[in-house]
Amino acid sequence: MFMMFAMTSDSVGEIIKEVKLEFGVSNTQASLMHSLFMIGIAFSGLFLGFLADKFGRKKTLILGLALFATSCYLFLFGSTFTFILSLISLSGLAVGVFKTAALALIGDISRSTKEHTGTMNGAEAFFGVGAIIGPILVAWLITQGIHWKWLYVIAGTLCTLLIVLALTVNYPQHQLQQKQPVRLMDSLTLLKDPYALAFSVGAFLYVAAESAIYVWMPSYLLCTPTTGEMGYSCYTDSLTQWFAIYSVSAFFVLRALGRFVGIWMMQRFDWTKVLVLFSFLIMLCFIAGLMAGPSLAVFLFPLTGIFMSVIYPTFNSKGISCFEKRQHGSVAGVILFFTAAGAAVGPFIMGVVSDAYGGEAKYGFIVANGFSILLFIGLLYNAIKQPTRSRLQRIEQQEYGTH
């Protein structure tokens, strides 16, 4: 499921190029393909995340998958840019519904908070695989003369198979045995909880820094106009030029591999120390890549994929694990809201700052570096003060029956 929706969400860069040609829209208009999808996820996460707690994981999961499949199949009938944007928005809403249910379900089937983190890394690893497959599939479709909309038909077909599978699986039922009715206000109240807010802000900073890599890195690595031409020809070394061309793919591959390794790693090492170390290495890669310029950034920026790999799944799992299982859907929705906000706001701010300084992407990366520094500072505080230790221990005993 994570792989399936990543195939569409992380192919948006390839699709935007085709949309601009097909509908004759500007860069700003085409960027709505990304922004509206993220806004849909953010809205759904905050205002519909409680559905997984109120109606159960299975019903909510199937509802979200059904909405996503419907939006995918409707792409075949769209002939205007406005109609395409409406489907993008609907698919974002659908992702928010089924992803919050899936995140809550991971907590239900986990036997400890450590297992929860390992399983979350596994799920996000498949998201990483989808991020690799999607752009390749779009490129292949285009070279074969097949319209890019068929990517959504393929995703819709996979989604339909997932619905059939979901209908046959037995789900834990304890989340339906509520002492109090679950309401929308319960999700909004979580915004005041320091644990939910801290992990959500962490997710925002992480995703803002991560999206800088796959959204703006290609622009930063392009040769500047002073070299005589745009492109990657200014890299005299053939290996460096190859890395520049495939830098985003290298980032996604390293991120996916890192998450599979994270399944093992997060079971054996203190998560607070792993995150502070990896966030420090991300910060170093950003600083060194900016100071040395594209010739070194071409290697350092994709390398951040390894260090970024375990951060978001751990934020998700530990943030959710700080709450009772009956609240897992709601808190997953809150974290998802900040995640989508980071993916939408981060690249936008970078673009605005770059435009303010003559359009050079390096100025936007100064902003991204600021996100990475704030992330490191927060995780350093977390490793030193251990503010979540007592809360996680209490939930471990209460929800998982372990000590």
Side-chain angles (χ1 to χ4, degrees):
M1 178 167 54
F2 279 54
M3 183 186 75
M4 177 270 300
F5 92 82
M7 286 171 54
T8 59
S9 65
D10 283 28
S11 298
V12 68
E14 295 291 331
I15 293 172
I16 281 176
K17 293 190 299 184
E18 300 301 315
V19 166
K20 286 169 60 181
L21 292 173
E22 183 175 347
F23 296 103
V25 295
S26 66
N27 286 324
T28 301
Q29 291 171 318
S31 69
L32 291 174
M33 295 282 290
H34 173 73
S35 299
L36 289 178
F37 180 74
M38 290 301 169
I39 290 171
I41 294 176
F43 179 91
S44 183
L46 186 60
F47 295 103
L48 301 178
F50 76 99
L51 294 177
D53 296 328
K54 186 175 181 64
F55 299 108
R57 318 309 191 208
K58 187 172 187 175
K59 291 179 181 178
T60 308
L61 199 67
I62 292 172
L63 171 64
L65 289 172
L67 285 174
F68 191 81
T70 300
S71 67
C72 286
Y73 289 132
L74 285 175
F75 269 89
L76 286 177
F77 303 97
S79 58
T80 66
F81 184 60
T82 302
F83 185 72
I84 296 297
L85 290 181
S86 66
L87 294 181
I88 287 290
S89 302
L90 176 60
S91 65
L93 285 171
V95 168
V97 172
F98 74 67
K99 188 172 182 180
T100 50
L103 293 174
L105 181 61
I106 290 173
D108 293 344
I109 63 176
S110 298
R111 293 167 294 183
S112 68
T113 55
K114 275 196 171 184
E115 183 178 308
H116 191 180
T117 302
T119 306
M120 193 72 77
N121 270 277
E124 292 291 351
F126 278 93
F127 180 91
V129 172
I132 298 168
I133 294 173
I136 293 174
L137 184 55
V138 173
W140 181 82
L141 289 172
I142 293 169
T143 58
Q144 298 300 309
I146 303 172
H147 201 280
W148 58 266
K149 291 179 183 178
W150 281 93
L151 171 73
Y152 288 90
V153 177
I154 294 169
T157 303
L158 290 174
C159 198
T160 303
L161 294 174
L162 285 169
I163 292 172
V164 174
L165 181 61
L167 287 169
T168 63
V169 174
N170 292 322
Y171 288 65
Q173 295 299 312
H174 62 81
Q175 73 270 9
L176 298 177
Q177 301 168 4
Q178 305 289 351
K179 295 180 180 178
Q180 301 176 5
V182 177
R183 302 166 300 171
L184 170 60
M185 286 305 298
D186 296 332
S187 294
L188 301 180
T189 302
L190 285 172
L191 290 171
K192 300 178 182 178
D193 187 284
Y195 294 93
L197 189 59
F199 281 107
S200 295
V201 171
F204 177 95
L205 292 172
Y206 162 76
V207 173
E210 179 200 50
S211 58
I213 297 295
Y214 63 80
V215 174
W216 290 112
M217 178 173 62
S219 298
Y220 179 64
L221 297 181
L222 282 174
C223 303
T224 60
T226 56
T227 60
E229 60 178 311
M230 296 293 284
Y232 300 109
S233 58
C234 58
Y235 298 106
T236 55
D237 186 303
S238 59
L239 178 64
T240 305
Q241 189 178 76
W242 185 89
F243 264 97
I245 294 171
Y246 296 102
S247 56
V248 174
S249 297
F251 170 77
F252 283 142
V253 169
L254 290 174
R255 190 183 65 174
L257 290 174
R259 284 177 176 169
F260 281 112
V261 174
I263 301 172
W264 171 85
M265 182 189 303
M266 302 310 289
Q267 298 283 339
R268 289 163 176 79
F269 299 101
D270 182 350
W271 69 275
T272 62
K273 292 181 174 61
V274 172
L275 294 199
V276 75
L277 173 62
F278 279 17
S279 64
F280 177 71
L281 294 172
I282 292 168
M283 182 180 67
L284 281 185
C285 287
F286 271 88
I287 293 173
L290 278 170
M291 293 181 65
S295 60
L296 187 58
V298 70
F299 301 106
L300 291 178
F301 284 179
L303 184 62
T304 60
I306 283 287
F307 309 130
M308 289 184 178
S309 60
V310 299
I311 293 180
Y312 182 69
T314 304
F315 275 153
N316 246 331
S317 64
K318 297 304 181 186
I320 294 171
S321 292
C322 280
F323 296 85
E324 298 176 17
K325 289 185 177 182
R326 65 180 182 83
Q327 295 178 291
H328 279 188
S330 298
V331 71
V334 171
I335 296 174
L336 187 59
F337 169 80
F338 280 87
T339 299
V345 173
F348 177 76
I349 295 175
M350 289 179 64
V352 170
V353 172
S354 295
D355 286 342
Y357 289 90
E360 289 193 51
K362 70 177 182 180
Y363 294 103
F365 266 98
I366 293 174
V367 177
N369 189 38
F371 291 138
S372 72
I373 292 171
L374 291 174
L375 180 65
F376 168 69
I377 292 172
L379 288 172
L380 180 63
Y381 172 84
N382 181 60
I384 295 172
K385 296 294 185 179
Q386 297 283 339
T388 61
R389 178 180 290 169
S390 59
R391 178 85 165 240
L392 287 170
Q393 287 176 346
R394 179 175 65 80
I395 295 294
E396 187 89 34
Q397 295 175 15
Q398 178 180 324
E399 296 292 323
Y400 301 102
T402 56
H403 300 277

